[in-house]
Amino acid sequence: MKIAVAGTGYVGLVTGACLAFKGHDVVCVDVDEKKVERLRSGDPVIYENGLEEVLQKCIKDGTLSFTTDYKSAYKDAEVVIISVGTPEKKDGSANLIYINGVADQIADSVERDCIIIMKSTVPIGTSDRIEARIISGLTHPVKVELASNPEFLAQGTAVENTLNPDRIIIGVKSTRAEKVLLKVYKNFDAPKLVVKRHSAEMIKYASNDFLALKISYVNEIANLCELTGADIDEVTCGMGFDPRIGSSFLRAGTGYGGSCFPKDTKALHWLSNIRGHELKTVRAAIDVNESQKLVLIKKAHSFYENFTDVNIAVLGLTFKPNTDDLRESPSLSCIPYLVDDGAKIKAWDPVGAENFKKFYPDEITYCDSISDTLEGADICFIFTEWPDVKEMDVSEFSKKMRKPLVLDGRNCFSLKEMKNKGVTYMSIGRPVIKA
Ligand code: UDX
């Protein structure tokens, strides 16, 4: 099938590349000339496992191309996929400015009957409005219908999640649209659920917000474990055996970040509010997460009144491993606080450091190794559970640090491993190990 994809962010690029990999003829559209140039040369621009290989194979096979010329891309596409960003506005609602822009370009360009697939996460009811907007702006006498088909890919495993999804949600209002979407996903071996468009839009928010809620719940229980002498790892292990609970997404930590959970919880809460309905559980998940992001700073304050001239090592900057994405990362909540307090900071992140430099080019020393980062440090903050951190020799802490206080926001090490290592070790929801 001839498919055009609007937007080459994480979702658009991965979706476009994977659909080409599955045999479709895909053209991806972006306004950024330089980015399109790099993508054409096979450079994925973002760090995402397996993307480079898929991209280069499809470009070589001639099934994937990139352009800034939206008219030529949309003109004769059977399917146009909208996958541009829906950033958070100040009031928490989703900003639809990019979606509206693409809708107008589609209306101005399509010259054959086609189905528009909404992949961006949009408030419930947006598909109706965007469909009406496109139909009223059409410049050719064609039949256009919109389908809601949310994605569930997680960064770092986006290619794998897209090629082997756990479900495909098809939100449509006609059998014509249903048939087209089933054809798009013909080569995907996954349960396909055909639902109303509004339900499809809600499934996306309800899924993400439920996972966010699960994390905030476990983080609250972890904080209570610290006050009661229980160990969150043992607690979640015990909970996870119950199939009604499940063992995934029960990792306690210093809060969730990324491009989805923070934005999607706020957007659904806002959407609910404007309809006069208070979504109390989601509000709680948001509030718990905000304070959880600062939990390591609170722990550090039990040793230091302020951080002026304190030598600080930071391991991990990204919101999770295997991505270079810093959006809503706990490091971005804590490091500004430490910088403002006059701390001397050294940081290490295998792929996120370059992006962090854009915020703090001079205030932080960026190191190439964990060992150099720890040299002379008084406190070590761990924000991301990179494999290099989890697999490091923990005796490095006492060998390299001046006063080894390790604050682990991702429970990278077992308590057994950290015992008798000459380190004060504080993690999330587990007993403190004293040096
Ligand atoms: C998420 C959803 O998983 C995905 O389905 C959706 O399409 C987009 O949002 P992503 O943001 O890439 O994906 O990452 P995810 O792996 O879900 O982690 C999100 C955040 O939650 C990270 O900061 C992670 O550290 C945190 N997290 C996750 C926990 O703190 N504990 C857990 O048990 C799981």
Side-chain angles (χ1 to χ4, degrees):
M1 293 174 88
K2 205 164 173 5
I3 298 177
V5 180
T8 59
Y10 278 97
V11 176
L13 181 57
V14 173
T15 304
C18 290
L19 288 175
F21 190 76
K22 291 279 190 179
H24 295 296
D25 176 11
V26 180
V27 53
C28 295
V29 182
D30 204 288
V31 287
D32 185 339
E33 190 79 58
K34 278 194 190 137
K35 189 175 184 190
V36 164
E37 229 12 86
R38 281 177 68 185
L39 291 168
R40 272 188 192 135
S41 73
D43 170 359
V45 182
I46 51 164
Y47 178 86
E48 193 58 55
N49 263 342
L51 182 58
E52 192 166 358
E53 292 78 355
V54 171
L55 200 69
Q56 291 181 357
K57 181 188 183 302
C58 296
I59 293 172
K60 196 162 151 258
D61 293 350
T63 54
L64 179 64
S65 60
F66 298 91
T67 184
T68 52
D69 177 8
Y70 68 83
K71 271 201 169 217
S72 69
Y74 302 153
K75 188 171 78 168
D76 55 352
E78 286 172 82
V79 168
V80 181
I81 299 179
I82 301 180
S83 54
V84 289
T86 50
E88 183 184 318
K89 286 207 269 187
K90 276 207 177 95
D91 61 4
S93 64
N95 189 340
L96 300 181
I97 182 168
Y98 303 113
I99 302 262
N100 289 334
V102 166
D104 294 344
Q105 291 177 344
I106 293 171
D108 186 36
S109 313
V110 288
E111 293 182 18
R112 64 178 282 187
D113 294 352
C114 65
I115 298 293
I116 314 296
I117 295 183
M118 181 64 79
K119 263 228 177 279
S120 305
T121 303
V122 290
I124 294 94
T126 304
S127 294
D128 297 349
R129 286 191 286 282
I130 297 299
E131 183 181 75
R133 186 176 179 126
I134 294 174
I135 290 172
S136 72
L138 286 171
T139 51
H140 288 82
V142 293
K143 267 202 255 159
V144 171
E145 193 180 320
L146 203 134
S148 168
N149 170 223
E151 51 71 31
F152 299 96
L153 55 88
Q155 286 172 231
T157 51
V159 172
E160 167 61 20
N161 296 157
T162 308
L163 291 176
N164 301 301
D166 44 26
R167 81 285 213 191
I168 293 168
I169 302 297
I170 295 175
V172 284
K173 61 169 201 190
S174 77
T175 44
R176 171 184 159 230
E178 178 184 338
K179 275 187 194 150
V180 172
L181 268 87
L182 289 173
K183 200 169 151 200
V184 170
Y185 291 109
K186 192 171 77 143
N187 294 333
F188 289 72
D189 181 20
K192 290 158 193 146
L193 182 67
V194 180
V195 296
K196 282 187 198 166
R197 287 200 307 216
H198 285 206
S199 304
E201 291 169 331
M202 182 61 100
I203 286 170
K204 170 69 191 208
Y205 277 111
S207 301
N208 270 0
D209 289 18
F210 181 75
L211 293 172
L213 222 145
K214 207 173 172 188
I215 297 169
S216 276
Y217 175 75
V218 102
N219 283 338
E220 277 213 296
I221 296 294
N223 296 342
L224 187 57
C225 283
E226 289 177 16
L227 299 173
T228 54
D231 178 331
I232 192 67
D233 285 352
E234 293 177 355
V235 172
T236 50
C237 178
M239 290 166 67
F241 278 103
D242 184 333
R244 295 169 303 173
I245 297 174
S247 57
S248 62
F249 272 73
L250 285 184
R251 275 182 288 114
T254 182
Y256 58 76
S259 61
C260 293
F261 291 168
K263 169 173 80 70
D264 295 349
T265 42
K266 287 179 205 154
L268 194 65
H269 185 262
W270 178 88
L271 190 85
S272 172
N273 258 355
I274 57 158
R275 284 168 173 74
H277 176 63
E278 168 73 339
L279 216 48
K280 292 181 190 144
T281 48
V282 174
R283 176 76 259 160
I286 297 167
D287 293 344
V288 168
N289 199 56
E290 283 310 307
S291 69
Q292 196 67 12
K293 281 182 173 180
L294 294 171
V295 86
L296 294 188
I297 295 279
K298 285 184 208 147
K299 288 182 195 287
H301 267 309
S302 61
F303 293 85
Y304 292 87
E305 199 169 323
N306 64 66
F307 302 104
T308 313
D309 290 330
V310 175
N311 295 303
I312 289 179
V314 172
L315 301 183
L317 296 164
T318 54
F319 81 95
K320 69 172 192 179
N322 300 319
T323 174
D324 60 354
D325 201 333
L326 299 169
R327 279 177 286 179
E328 302 283 340
S329 169
S331 70
L332 274 177
S333 298
C334 296
I335 290 177
Y337 183 89
L338 298 169
V339 168
D340 287 350
D341 232 12
K344 292 180 179 163
I345 305 174
K346 288 204 275 181
W348 170 89
D349 190 292
V351 294
E354 283 311 311
N355 283 338
F356 212 86
K357 269 183 206 166
K358 292 174 196 155
F359 298 102
Y360 291 105
D362 307 315
E363 300 82 345
I364 293 173
T365 306
Y366 297 91
C367 300
D368 291 332
S369 73
I370 293 177
S371 194
D372 287 350
T373 318
L374 296 177
E375 190 76 59
D378 303 307
I379 313 177
C380 172
F381 283 87
I382 302 176
F383 291 117
T384 324
E385 66 278 34
W386 280 102
D388 288 12
V389 176
K390 290 173 82 173
E391 288 155 18
M392 69 179 268
D393 174 3
V394 295
S395 66
E396 289 269 296
F397 289 120
S398 57
K399 279 189 204 148
K400 300 281 173 180
M401 292 175 73
R402 209 162 60 152
K403 288 189 234 157
L405 168 62
V406 177
L407 304 173
D408 180 357
R410 298 294 177 193
N411 291 1
C412 291
F413 312 110
S414 71
L415 296 180
K416 202 167 144 211
E417 197 178 359
M418 294 305 282
K419 244 181 207 149
N420 305 321
K421 291 288 188 309
V423 173
T424 298
Y425 178 62
M426 296 179 96
S427 49
I428 308 291
R430 304 188 298 180
V432 179
I433 293 197
K434 298 218 169 84

